Amino acid sequence: MRRDKVFDFVEQKRLPFSGRRTVIPGEIDVTHGPILYLENISVSFDGFKALNDLTLYINDGELRCIIGPNGAGKTTMMDVITGKTRPDTGSAYFGQTMDLTRMSEYQIAHAGIGRKFQKPTIFPQHTIFENLELAMAADKRVWPTLFAKINTAQHEKIIEVMDTIGLTELCYERAAQLSHGQKQWLEIGMLLMQNPRVLLVDEPVAGMTHQEMDKTAELLKSLAGKHSVVVVEHDMDFVRSIASTVTVLHEGSVLAEGTMDEVQNNPKVIEVYLGE
Amino acid sequence: MARQPFIVDFLKNDKGGKIFVSILLVTMFVVPALNLLVPADSFFHVPTYTVTLLGKYLSYAMLAIALDLVWGYCGILSLGHAAFFALGGYAMGMYLMRQIGDRGVYGNTELPDFMVFLNWTELPWYWQGFDMFWFAMIMVILVPGLLALVFGWLAFRARVTGVYLSIITQALTYALLLAFFMNELGFGGNNGLTDFKDILGYDLQADTTRVSLFFLSALFLILTYFLCRFIITSKLGRVVVAIRDAEDRTRFIGYKVESFKLWIFVLSAMIAGVAGALFVPQVGIINPGEFSPLNSIELVVWVAIGGRATLYGAALGAVIVNYSKSYLTAAFPEVWLFALGGLFLLVTIFMPKGVIGLWNQMRLKLQGKKQPIAENKIE
Ligand SMILES: Nc1ncnc2c1ncn2[C@@H]1O[C@H](COP(=O)(O)OP(=O)(O)O)[C@@H](O)[C@H]1O
Ligand SMILES: [Mg+2]
């Protein structure tokens, strides 16, 4: 299942009439199942290995939870996928053809990977509406941005997302005035505005009330399928409530993978994480 | 909910801007009238000296708006912005030098006096074309713009931000200061360019010319305000503020942050250049002192005192500080720097949003409101 074993370009040359679909560069090719391929990735900071030979695949449309103790390398993994950190070794591909390690942050965002930061990061001086407007998929080069006007379809999209994240009432409030939980939702809404194929969500329920957590779980579950959603989370109850494939990260590599029950009964996992 | 609340006409929701532009429009016509039409012995007569002083303040106000655009809105604290102002000033000065023609001390039709003095025999290549007004005016915009483009491209691409960026902008203006001091560079060394005679054939000493320059300064200040207001109310303006408040977030939603910073930085440098070009014919001299790092720092103080990210606040700050400076340097020359430092401290501690912020606060208090109303709110 490794990406290089099933690389379409290679196969294409060998079997020109195999009936395989031609891959257009720039198009996300998920014909083999996974949408994200992380293979043998290592990242070290001053000799300390934050990621250690990490290999991980995310399937198209799945909802994946990634758990692991503090410092396990979860955020660093997201940094690698979104181009913020370059891996020392290993490869990161979006679909089969897009090499994430050679794209810059904004190119990766355009390609279809949206990211929510661990600490909610929104534009505090802008209104909810403006936050969503800025995130909206559009021509984001300088001159087109200067003369950009919102058309009806875009306006409706913003309304729709505001509805999804439950902030319609607060449309014209400054984002700075939102509660912590609302900021998290706004940030998720901003990701949705970009029409991403993959959503990377770093600790979405940190600092949320139980009620807010339930709402967030519903939201994330409703997004899976249309998007691939990767959720990093600490809160076990929350992870169980969105019940999906769980990957346990420990000291920069994958310790276990499976359903919540399988993972919970895995002795290695119990030892390093759940047993604490 | 109303549709399309974002097509904001730039003055529709801008009360401060309306007041600012109105004041400028009135001044623009009343001051010239009081100078040219009212007899000199009348109480209402405005002396030409005052008109020119006001014109100088207005060019400073334009420079302050240029800095507010990059600092107030984009969060780039440039401590070298006076360099762009000075470069625009030098481009204008070069035109004015060429206009002197054979009226210089040495009577050389081609070469400015200082070149004759250096025993140069022909005009250096970079002085070619400056006898044409249109060419000089293009250079007023192009030279600061190009410098900002090259400098900004290097700095922003390398993701130099914050204090480091401020320091290298100081270094930039300091390097230019040293360079322009050199006689061999061909810009008049430490004397700079001066003894101008006329502009487009009009005598620079004549009241009508001076009043016209004042009028043009006010006009260009209004145009600058409109341009900047258009930019900051556009989506690009919202992106720029987003960069200031959460640079990484902006990048991860797909904006190439470096390009936006570069664009706004270059535009700001061009506006500063035009301000410099308006300044020079009114004060009659441009010398390397304009590149002094202290000038750029003073400029930051104007904007901080007036109030960041309002545009007109920056203009107001420039006028307040320079008026105080004119007064204080005459009355108590040795206290000016201390007064400026003290003023800056007071403002940063007690009114972080400057005079405009203080005024807004007081207005809200008078109206008994606690929360500021979100902008662009539509019933
Ligand atoms: N920029 C950095 N410089 C140095 N060390 C870092 C940096 N980013 C992360 N680390 C270290 O890498 C390890 C993994 O961090 P992180 O990916 O944030 O873990 P997690 O998100 O799983 O809690 C931690 O020990 C952290 O201290
Ligand atoms: Mg983390």
Side-chain angles (χ1 to χ4, degrees), chain A residues 105-106 110 115 117 121 125-126 129-130 133-134 140 143 146 149-150 172 187 194, chain B residues 4-7 159 234-235 238 245 248-249 252-256 263 374 376:
Chain A
E105 292 103 321
Y106 80 95
H110 278 285
R115 172 182 190 180
F117 292 99
T121 316
Q125 295 304 316
H126 289 306
F129 191 100
E130 288 169 328
E133 179 216 10
L134 287 175
K140 287 179 176 167
W143 287 101
L146 178 62
K149 293 273 178 280
I150 295 181
Y172 297 114
E187 200 176 356
Q194 302 169 53
Chain B
Q4 307 239 358
F6 285 98
I7 321 296
R159 305 230 172 134
S234 74
K235 188 176 177 189
R238 292 192 282 283
D245 292 343
D248 266 346
R249 178 76 281 171
F252 286 111
I253 55 175
Y255 293 97
K256 196 175 174 190
W263 192 89
N376 301 337

mmCIF file of all heavy atoms in Angstrom, chain A residues 105-106 110 115 117 121 125-126 129-130 133-134 140 143 146 149-150 172 187 194, chain B residues 4-7 159 234-235 238 245 248-249 252-256 263 374 376:
data_model
loop_
_atom_site.group_PDB
_atom_site.id
_atom_site.type_symbol
_atom_site.label_atom_id
_atom_site.label_comp_id
_atom_site.label_asym_id
_atom_site.label_seq_id
_atom_site.Cartn_x
_atom_site.Cartn_y
_atom_site.Cartn_z
ATOM 1 N N GLU A 105 3.124 26.994 2.348
ATOM 2 C CA GLU A 105 1.885 26.942 3.122
ATOM 3 C C GLU A 105 0.669 27.322 2.286
ATOM 4 O O GLU A 105 -0.358 26.651 2.330
ATOM 5 C CB GLU A 105 1.961 27.886 4.328
ATOM 6 C CG GLU A 105 2.953 27.479 5.399
ATOM 7 C CD GLU A 105 4.211 28.305 5.320
ATOM 8 O OE1 GLU A 105 4.659 28.598 4.193
ATOM 9 O OE2 GLU A 105 4.750 28.647 6.389
ATOM 10 N N TYR A 106 0.784 28.442 1.561
ATOM 11 C CA TYR A 106 -0.400 28.899 0.846
ATOM 12 C C TYR A 106 -0.749 27.978 -0.314
ATOM 13 O O TYR A 106 -1.928 27.786 -0.629
ATOM 14 C CB TYR A 106 -0.224 30.357 0.384
ATOM 15 C CG TYR A 106 0.602 30.546 -0.858
ATOM 16 C CD1 TYR A 106 -0.011 30.651 -2.100
ATOM 17 C CD2 TYR A 106 1.990 30.620 -0.795
ATOM 18 C CE1 TYR A 106 0.741 30.818 -3.246
ATOM 19 C CE2 TYR A 106 2.737 30.786 -1.927
ATOM 20 C CZ TYR A 106 2.118 30.890 -3.158
ATOM 21 O OH TYR A 106 2.861 31.049 -4.287
ATOM 22 N N HIS A 110 -4.266 26.026 -0.885
ATOM 23 C CA HIS A 110 -5.010 26.058 -2.142
ATOM 24 C C HIS A 110 -5.283 24.654 -2.670
ATOM 25 O O HIS A 110 -6.326 24.399 -3.269
ATOM 26 C CB HIS A 110 -4.256 26.854 -3.205
ATOM 27 C CG HIS A 110 -4.458 28.321 -3.068
ATOM 28 N ND1 HIS A 110 -5.619 28.935 -3.443
ATOM 29 C CD2 HIS A 110 -3.664 29.287 -2.561
ATOM 30 C CE1 HIS A 110 -5.527 30.226 -3.176
ATOM 31 N NE2 HIS A 110 -4.355 30.461 -2.634
ATOM 32 N N ARG A 115 -6.401 23.751 7.986
ATOM 33 C CA ARG A 115 -5.854 23.405 9.285
ATOM 34 C C ARG A 115 -6.404 24.284 10.394
ATOM 35 O O ARG A 115 -6.473 25.501 10.253
ATOM 36 C CB ARG A 115 -4.336 23.592 9.239
ATOM 37 C CG ARG A 115 -3.716 23.440 10.590
ATOM 38 C CD ARG A 115 -2.253 23.660 10.554
ATOM 39 N NE ARG A 115 -1.696 23.259 11.831
ATOM 40 C CZ ARG A 115 -0.430 23.323 12.136
ATOM 41 N NH1 ARG A 115 0.431 23.747 11.251
ATOM 42 N NH2 ARG A 115 -0.017 22.942 13.320
ATOM 43 N N PHE A 117 -5.568 25.408 14.192
ATOM 44 C CA PHE A 117 -4.446 25.364 15.125
ATOM 45 C C PHE A 117 -4.885 24.874 16.505
ATOM 46 O O PHE A 117 -6.062 24.920 16.846
ATOM 47 C CB PHE A 117 -3.825 26.748 15.286
ATOM 48 C CG PHE A 117 -3.131 27.248 14.060
ATOM 49 C CD1 PHE A 117 -3.746 28.134 13.191
ATOM 50 C CD2 PHE A 117 -1.840 26.822 13.761
ATOM 51 C CE1 PHE A 117 -3.104 28.595 12.067
ATOM 52 C CE2 PHE A 117 -1.189 27.281 12.638
ATOM 53 C CZ PHE A 117 -1.826 28.169 11.788
ATOM 54 N N THR A 121 -7.069 30.258 16.463
ATOM 55 C CA THR A 121 -6.469 31.407 15.801
ATOM 56 C C THR A 121 -7.460 31.940 14.784
ATOM 57 O O THR A 121 -7.708 31.320 13.766
ATOM 58 C CB THR A 121 -5.173 30.992 15.095
ATOM 59 O OG1 THR A 121 -4.433 30.164 15.976
ATOM 60 C CG2 THR A 121 -4.346 32.199 14.735
ATOM 61 N N GLN A 125 -10.003 41.286 15.109
ATOM 62 C CA GLN A 125 -10.559 42.602 14.784
ATOM 63 C C GLN A 125 -11.600 42.546 13.667
ATOM 64 O O GLN A 125 -12.230 43.537 13.346
ATOM 65 C CB GLN A 125 -9.440 43.571 14.383
ATOM 66 C CG GLN A 125 -8.465 43.878 15.503
ATOM 67 C CD GLN A 125 -9.147 44.430 16.736
ATOM 68 O OE1 GLN A 125 -10.017 45.296 16.652
ATOM 69 N NE2 GLN A 125 -8.783 43.908 17.894
ATOM 70 N N HIS A 126 -11.734 41.387 13.047
ATOM 71 C CA HIS A 126 -12.719 41.261 11.981
ATOM 72 C C HIS A 126 -14.006 40.643 12.519
ATOM 73 O O HIS A 126 -13.986 39.915 13.506
ATOM 74 C CB HIS A 126 -12.163 40.385 10.858
ATOM 75 C CG HIS A 126 -11.071 41.057 10.067
ATOM 76 N ND1 HIS A 126 -11.234 42.281 9.480
ATOM 77 C CD2 HIS A 126 -9.817 40.668 9.743
ATOM 78 C CE1 HIS A 126 -10.123 42.617 8.845
ATOM 79 N NE2 HIS A 126 -9.233 41.661 8.998
ATOM 80 N N PHE A 129 -18.449 37.403 9.947
ATOM 81 C CA PHE A 129 -18.671 37.387 8.500
ATOM 82 C C PHE A 129 -17.348 37.598 7.762
ATOM 83 O O PHE A 129 -17.010 36.879 6.836
ATOM 84 C CB PHE A 129 -19.668 38.497 8.141
ATOM 85 C CG PHE A 129 -20.189 38.417 6.732
ATOM 86 C CD1 PHE A 129 -21.437 37.875 6.485
ATOM 87 C CD2 PHE A 129 -19.449 38.881 5.663
ATOM 88 C CE1 PHE A 129 -21.937 37.796 5.192
ATOM 89 C CE2 PHE A 129 -19.934 38.805 4.365
ATOM 90 C CZ PHE A 129 -21.186 38.259 4.128
ATOM 91 N N GLU A 130 -16.594 38.596 8.197
ATOM 92 C CA GLU A 130 -15.327 38.911 7.524
ATOM 93 C C GLU A 130 -14.313 37.787 7.669
ATOM 94 O O GLU A 130 -13.566 37.488 6.732
ATOM 95 C CB GLU A 130 -14.753 40.222 8.077
ATOM 96 C CG GLU A 130 -15.514 41.443 7.636
ATOM 97 C CD GLU A 130 -15.113 42.712 8.385
ATOM 98 O OE1 GLU A 130 -14.741 42.615 9.577
ATOM 99 O OE2 GLU A 130 -15.183 43.786 7.800
ATOM 100 N N GLU A 133 -15.332 35.366 5.173
ATOM 101 C CA GLU A 133 -15.092 35.915 3.837
ATOM 102 C C GLU A 133 -13.619 35.771 3.451
ATOM 103 O O GLU A 133 -13.281 35.393 2.328
ATOM 104 C CB GLU A 133 -15.486 37.398 3.807
ATOM 105 C CG GLU A 133 -15.250 38.065 2.459
ATOM 106 C CD GLU A 133 -14.802 39.509 2.583
ATOM 107 O OE1 GLU A 133 -14.481 39.951 3.704
ATOM 108 O OE2 GLU A 133 -14.736 40.181 1.542
ATOM 109 N N LEU A 134 -12.734 36.081 4.412
ATOM 110 C CA LEU A 134 -11.300 36.020 4.114
ATOM 111 C C LEU A 134 -10.858 34.589 3.819
ATOM 112 O O LEU A 134 -9.989 34.354 2.987
ATOM 113 C CB LEU A 134 -10.493 36.580 5.288
ATOM 114 C CG LEU A 134 -10.567 38.093 5.453
ATOM 115 C CD1 LEU A 134 -9.835 38.532 6.705
ATOM 116 C CD2 LEU A 134 -9.989 38.792 4.232
ATOM 117 N N LYS A 140 -6.761 34.304 -4.520
ATOM 118 C CA LYS A 140 -6.179 34.976 -3.362
ATOM 119 C C LYS A 140 -4.884 35.711 -3.684
ATOM 120 O O LYS A 140 -4.104 36.038 -2.796
ATOM 121 C CB LYS A 140 -5.979 33.978 -2.218
ATOM 122 C CG LYS A 140 -7.319 33.599 -1.595
ATOM 123 C CD LYS A 140 -7.234 32.604 -0.487
ATOM 124 C CE LYS A 140 -8.629 32.394 0.119
ATOM 125 N NZ LYS A 140 -8.697 31.245 0.997
ATOM 126 N N TRP A 143 -3.754 41.510 -6.549
ATOM 127 C CA TRP A 143 -4.623 42.423 -7.305
ATOM 128 C C TRP A 143 -6.072 41.963 -7.335
ATOM 129 O O TRP A 143 -6.990 42.771 -7.095
ATOM 130 C CB TRP A 143 -4.078 42.647 -8.721
ATOM 131 C CG TRP A 143 -2.864 43.529 -8.716
ATOM 132 C CD1 TRP A 143 -1.562 43.128 -8.824
ATOM 133 C CD2 TRP A 143 -2.822 44.965 -8.557
ATOM 134 N NE1 TRP A 143 -0.721 44.211 -8.744
ATOM 135 C CE2 TRP A 143 -1.455 45.349 -8.598
ATOM 136 C CE3 TRP A 143 -3.800 45.940 -8.392
ATOM 137 C CZ2 TRP A 143 -1.049 46.671 -8.475
ATOM 138 C CZ3 TRP A 143 -3.380 47.268 -8.279
ATOM 139 C CH2 TRP A 143 -2.019 47.616 -8.314
ATOM 140 N N LEU A 146 -7.679 42.936 -4.184
ATOM 141 C CA LEU A 146 -7.970 44.370 -4.035
ATOM 142 C C LEU A 146 -9.346 44.698 -4.609
ATOM 143 O O LEU A 146 -10.086 45.496 -4.042
ATOM 144 C CB LEU A 146 -6.881 45.202 -4.724
ATOM 145 C CG LEU A 146 -7.066 46.722 -4.688
ATOM 146 C CD1 LEU A 146 -7.063 47.234 -3.251
ATOM 147 C CD2 LEU A 146 -5.974 47.427 -5.482
ATOM 148 N N LYS A 149 -15.209 41.398 -4.982
ATOM 149 C CA LYS A 149 -16.537 41.712 -4.444
ATOM 150 C C LYS A 149 -17.223 40.375 -4.191
ATOM 151 O O LYS A 149 -17.038 39.417 -4.918
ATOM 152 C CB LYS A 149 -17.346 42.514 -5.466
ATOM 153 C CG LYS A 149 -16.785 43.908 -5.716
ATOM 154 C CD LYS A 149 -17.333 44.917 -4.716
ATOM 155 C CE LYS A 149 -16.747 46.305 -4.912
ATOM 156 N NZ LYS A 149 -15.392 46.461 -4.325
ATOM 157 N N ILE A 150 -18.059 40.355 -3.159
ATOM 158 C CA ILE A 150 -18.760 39.110 -2.840
ATOM 159 C C ILE A 150 -19.951 38.937 -3.773
ATOM 160 O O ILE A 150 -20.774 39.843 -3.896
ATOM 161 C CB ILE A 150 -19.249 39.136 -1.383
ATOM 162 C CG1 ILE A 150 -18.049 39.164 -0.449
ATOM 163 C CG2 ILE A 150 -20.129 37.933 -1.088
ATOM 164 C CD1 ILE A 150 -18.419 39.180 0.998
ATOM 165 N N TYR A 172 -22.207 39.980 12.714
ATOM 166 C CA TYR A 172 -21.454 41.235 12.617
ATOM 167 C C TYR A 172 -20.728 41.609 13.903
ATOM 168 O O TYR A 172 -20.340 42.747 14.105
ATOM 169 C CB TYR A 172 -22.384 42.369 12.168
ATOM 170 C CG TYR A 172 -22.936 42.119 10.791
ATOM 171 C CD1 TYR A 172 -24.292 41.902 10.588
ATOM 172 C CD2 TYR A 172 -22.073 42.068 9.691
ATOM 173 C CE1 TYR A 172 -24.790 41.641 9.315
ATOM 174 C CE2 TYR A 172 -22.558 41.807 8.424
ATOM 175 C CZ TYR A 172 -23.911 41.596 8.243
ATOM 176 O OH TYR A 172 -24.380 41.332 6.987
ATOM 177 N N GLU A 187 -13.089 28.918 13.734
ATOM 178 C CA GLU A 187 -11.907 28.473 12.996
ATOM 179 C C GLU A 187 -12.243 27.265 12.110
ATOM 180 O O GLU A 187 -11.775 27.176 10.974
ATOM 181 C CB GLU A 187 -10.756 28.158 13.956
ATOM 182 C CG GLU A 187 -9.426 28.183 13.234
ATOM 183 C CD GLU A 187 -8.235 27.965 14.153
ATOM 184 O OE1 GLU A 187 -8.436 27.877 15.373
ATOM 185 O OE2 GLU A 187 -7.120 27.868 13.628
ATOM 186 N N GLN A 194 -12.926 27.123 2.773
ATOM 187 C CA GLN A 194 -11.900 26.875 1.748
ATOM 188 C C GLN A 194 -12.221 25.658 0.888
ATOM 189 O O GLN A 194 -11.441 25.302 0.026
ATOM 190 C CB GLN A 194 -10.537 26.632 2.394
ATOM 191 C CG GLN A 194 -10.038 27.756 3.274
ATOM 192 C CD GLN A 194 -8.826 27.316 4.065
ATOM 193 O OE1 GLN A 194 -7.844 26.829 3.514
ATOM 194 N NE2 GLN A 194 -8.891 27.468 5.372
ATOM 195 N N GLN B 4 -24.904 41.785 0.815
ATOM 196 C CA GLN B 4 -23.702 42.527 0.423
ATOM 197 C C GLN B 4 -23.370 43.706 1.339
ATOM 198 O O GLN B 4 -23.294 44.840 0.897
ATOM 199 C CB GLN B 4 -23.871 43.078 -0.999
ATOM 200 C CG GLN B 4 -24.250 42.007 -1.967
ATOM 201 C CD GLN B 4 -23.271 41.851 -3.080
ATOM 202 O OE1 GLN B 4 -22.303 42.584 -3.166
ATOM 203 N NE2 GLN B 4 -23.460 40.873 -3.915
ATOM 204 N N PRO B 5 -23.188 43.455 2.612
ATOM 205 C CA PRO B 5 -22.888 44.589 3.488
ATOM 206 C C PRO B 5 -21.475 45.122 3.290
ATOM 207 O O PRO B 5 -21.099 46.095 3.911
ATOM 208 C CB PRO B 5 -23.045 43.995 4.879
ATOM 209 C CG PRO B 5 -22.782 42.553 4.690
ATOM 210 C CD PRO B 5 -23.199 42.192 3.309
ATOM 211 N N PHE B 6 -20.725 44.509 2.425
ATOM 212 C CA PHE B 6 -19.319 44.895 2.355
ATOM 213 C C PHE B 6 -18.981 45.889 1.277
ATOM 214 O O PHE B 6 -17.874 46.387 1.211
ATOM 215 C CB PHE B 6 -18.444 43.652 2.221
ATOM 216 C CG PHE B 6 -18.397 42.987 3.526
ATOM 217 C CD1 PHE B 6 -19.219 41.922 3.783
ATOM 218 C CD2 PHE B 6 -17.625 43.530 4.539
ATOM 219 C CE1 PHE B 6 -19.241 41.370 5.029
ATOM 220 C CE2 PHE B 6 -17.641 42.971 5.776
ATOM 221 C CZ PHE B 6 -18.457 41.885 6.029
ATOM 222 N N ILE B 7 -19.929 46.139 0.423
ATOM 223 C CA ILE B 7 -19.645 47.152 -0.577
ATOM 224 C C ILE B 7 -19.791 48.485 0.136
ATOM 225 O O ILE B 7 -20.820 49.135 0.096
ATOM 226 C CB ILE B 7 -20.638 47.047 -1.752
ATOM 227 C CG1 ILE B 7 -20.930 45.592 -2.082
ATOM 228 C CG2 ILE B 7 -20.171 47.820 -2.949
ATOM 229 C CD1 ILE B 7 -19.767 44.799 -2.573
ATOM 230 N N ARG B 159 11.217 36.133 5.773
ATOM 231 C CA ARG B 159 10.342 36.181 6.947
ATOM 232 C C ARG B 159 10.968 36.944 8.111
ATOM 233 O O ARG B 159 10.891 36.517 9.263
ATOM 234 C CB ARG B 159 9.946 34.771 7.402
ATOM 235 C CG ARG B 159 9.323 33.964 6.283
ATOM 236 C CD ARG B 159 8.017 33.328 6.685
ATOM 237 N NE ARG B 159 7.398 32.730 5.520
ATOM 238 C CZ ARG B 159 6.857 31.511 5.491
ATOM 239 N NH1 ARG B 159 6.843 30.777 6.578
ATOM 240 N NH2 ARG B 159 6.309 31.057 4.402
ATOM 241 N N SER B 234 -11.109 47.611 1.154
ATOM 242 C CA SER B 234 -11.227 46.501 0.197
ATOM 243 C C SER B 234 -10.918 45.188 0.911
ATOM 244 O O SER B 234 -10.489 45.178 2.064
ATOM 245 C CB SER B 234 -10.246 46.697 -0.953
ATOM 246 O OG SER B 234 -8.937 46.425 -0.504
ATOM 247 N N LYS B 235 -11.124 44.096 0.198
ATOM 248 C CA LYS B 235 -10.796 42.798 0.779
ATOM 249 C C LYS B 235 -9.303 42.727 1.066
ATOM 250 O O LYS B 235 -8.875 42.162 2.070
ATOM 251 C CB LYS B 235 -11.221 41.682 -0.168
ATOM 252 C CG LYS B 235 -11.088 40.309 0.455
ATOM 253 C CD LYS B 235 -11.613 39.234 -0.472
ATOM 254 C CE LYS B 235 -11.419 37.849 0.112
ATOM 255 N NZ LYS B 235 -11.724 36.795 -0.858
ATOM 256 N N ARG B 238 -8.621 44.024 4.362
ATOM 257 C CA ARG B 238 -8.948 43.084 5.438
ATOM 258 C C ARG B 238 -7.870 41.999 5.555
ATOM 259 O O ARG B 238 -7.551 41.545 6.652
ATOM 260 C CB ARG B 238 -10.334 42.477 5.196
ATOM 261 C CG ARG B 238 -11.444 43.506 5.336
ATOM 262 C CD ARG B 238 -12.823 42.879 5.396
ATOM 263 N NE ARG B 238 -13.337 42.466 4.096
ATOM 264 C CZ ARG B 238 -13.845 43.275 3.177
ATOM 265 N NH1 ARG B 238 -13.906 44.578 3.421
ATOM 266 N NH2 ARG B 238 -14.290 42.816 2.032
ATOM 267 N N ASP B 245 -2.775 40.708 12.599
ATOM 268 C CA ASP B 245 -3.321 40.082 13.798
ATOM 269 C C ASP B 245 -2.997 38.600 13.921
ATOM 270 O O ASP B 245 -2.921 38.078 15.031
ATOM 271 C CB ASP B 245 -4.844 40.267 13.840
ATOM 272 C CG ASP B 245 -5.218 41.728 14.048
ATOM 273 O OD1 ASP B 245 -4.342 42.501 14.475
ATOM 274 O OD2 ASP B 245 -6.372 42.090 13.783
ATOM 275 N N ASP B 248 0.161 33.662 10.678
ATOM 276 C CA ASP B 248 0.132 32.247 10.300
ATOM 277 C C ASP B 248 -1.240 31.827 9.791
ATOM 278 O O ASP B 248 -1.353 31.116 8.800
ATOM 279 C CB ASP B 248 0.502 31.363 11.497
ATOM 280 C CG ASP B 248 1.994 31.051 11.482
ATOM 281 O OD1 ASP B 248 2.633 31.290 10.438
ATOM 282 O OD2 ASP B 248 2.500 30.563 12.506
ATOM 283 N N ARG B 249 -2.264 32.278 10.482
ATOM 284 C CA ARG B 249 -3.626 31.933 10.068
ATOM 285 C C ARG B 249 -3.862 32.393 8.624
ATOM 286 O O ARG B 249 -4.408 31.682 7.805
ATOM 287 C CB ARG B 249 -4.628 32.587 11.023
ATOM 288 C CG ARG B 249 -6.087 32.376 10.731
ATOM 289 C CD ARG B 249 -6.586 31.000 11.098
ATOM 290 N NE ARG B 249 -6.242 30.000 10.117
ATOM 291 C CZ ARG B 249 -6.395 28.701 10.259
ATOM 292 N NH1 ARG B 249 -6.892 28.212 11.353
ATOM 293 N NH2 ARG B 249 -6.045 27.879 9.330
ATOM 294 N N PHE B 252 -2.166 30.086 6.262
ATOM 295 C CA PHE B 252 -2.769 28.756 6.143
ATOM 296 C C PHE B 252 -4.171 28.779 5.544
ATOM 297 O O PHE B 252 -4.733 27.730 5.259
ATOM 298 C CB PHE B 252 -2.786 28.044 7.503
ATOM 299 C CG PHE B 252 -1.429 27.551 7.916
ATOM 300 C CD1 PHE B 252 -0.752 28.127 8.968
ATOM 301 C CD2 PHE B 252 -0.820 26.524 7.210
ATOM 302 C CE1 PHE B 252 0.515 27.682 9.334
ATOM 303 C CE2 PHE B 252 0.442 26.077 7.571
ATOM 304 C CZ PHE B 252 1.113 26.655 8.636
ATOM 305 N N ILE B 253 -4.770 29.977 5.379
ATOM 306 C CA ILE B 253 -6.009 29.967 4.603
ATOM 307 C C ILE B 253 -5.713 30.329 3.151
ATOM 308 O O ILE B 253 -6.622 30.554 2.373
ATOM 309 C CB ILE B 253 -7.122 30.865 5.176
ATOM 310 C CG1 ILE B 253 -6.646 32.290 5.351
ATOM 311 C CG2 ILE B 253 -7.687 30.300 6.466
ATOM 312 C CD1 ILE B 253 -7.747 33.230 5.804
ATOM 313 N N GLY B 254 -4.443 30.379 2.801
ATOM 314 C CA GLY B 254 -4.111 30.420 1.380
ATOM 315 C C GLY B 254 -3.635 31.747 0.818
ATOM 316 O O GLY B 254 -3.602 31.917 -0.396
ATOM 317 N N TYR B 255 -3.275 32.701 1.677
ATOM 318 C CA TYR B 255 -2.729 33.946 1.152
ATOM 319 C C TYR B 255 -1.211 33.897 1.193
ATOM 320 O O TYR B 255 -0.636 33.426 2.178
ATOM 321 C CB TYR B 255 -3.222 35.155 1.952
ATOM 322 C CG TYR B 255 -4.702 35.388 1.805
ATOM 323 C CD1 TYR B 255 -5.594 34.913 2.750
ATOM 324 C CD2 TYR B 255 -5.198 36.062 0.692
ATOM 325 C CE1 TYR B 255 -6.960 35.108 2.603
ATOM 326 C CE2 TYR B 255 -6.564 36.260 0.542
ATOM 327 C CZ TYR B 255 -7.438 35.783 1.501
ATOM 328 O OH TYR B 255 -8.777 35.968 1.356
ATOM 329 N N LYS B 256 -0.611 34.394 0.118
ATOM 330 C CA LYS B 256 0.844 34.464 0.096
ATOM 331 C C LYS B 256 1.212 35.754 0.818
ATOM 332 O O LYS B 256 1.290 36.830 0.216
ATOM 333 C CB LYS B 256 1.343 34.466 -1.346
ATOM 334 C CG LYS B 256 2.801 34.163 -1.460
ATOM 335 C CD LYS B 256 3.218 34.049 -2.900
ATOM 336 C CE LYS B 256 4.716 33.893 -2.998
ATOM 337 N NZ LYS B 256 5.176 34.024 -4.379
ATOM 338 N N TRP B 263 3.469 44.393 -1.428
ATOM 339 C CA TRP B 263 2.607 45.319 -2.180
ATOM 340 C C TRP B 263 2.324 46.573 -1.356
ATOM 341 O O TRP B 263 2.485 47.694 -1.830
ATOM 342 C CB TRP B 263 1.301 44.597 -2.511
ATOM 343 C CG TRP B 263 0.433 45.298 -3.498
ATOM 344 C CD1 TRP B 263 0.461 45.167 -4.857
ATOM 345 C CD2 TRP B 263 -0.604 46.260 -3.207
ATOM 346 N NE1 TRP B 263 -0.490 45.976 -5.419
ATOM 347 C CE2 TRP B 263 -1.163 46.654 -4.442
ATOM 348 C CE3 TRP B 263 -1.106 46.813 -2.036
ATOM 349 C CZ2 TRP B 263 -2.199 47.579 -4.531
ATOM 350 C CZ3 TRP B 263 -2.140 47.746 -2.130
ATOM 351 C CH2 TRP B 263 -2.678 48.106 -3.366
ATOM 352 N N ALA B 374 -19.879 47.246 16.470
ATOM 353 C CA ALA B 374 -19.089 46.634 15.407
ATOM 354 C C ALA B 374 -19.257 47.450 14.135
ATOM 355 O O ALA B 374 -20.335 47.927 13.827
ATOM 356 C CB ALA B 374 -19.545 45.209 15.180
ATOM 357 N N ASN B 376 -19.480 48.361 10.213
ATOM 358 C CA ASN B 376 -20.213 47.802 9.072
ATOM 359 C C ASN B 376 -21.531 47.159 9.484
ATOM 360 O O ASN B 376 -22.076 46.347 8.762
ATOM 361 C CB ASN B 376 -19.403 46.732 8.338
ATOM 362 C CG ASN B 376 -18.097 47.279 7.831
ATOM 363 O OD1 ASN B 376 -17.986 48.481 7.640
ATOM 364 N ND2 ASN B 376 -17.149 46.418 7.622
#
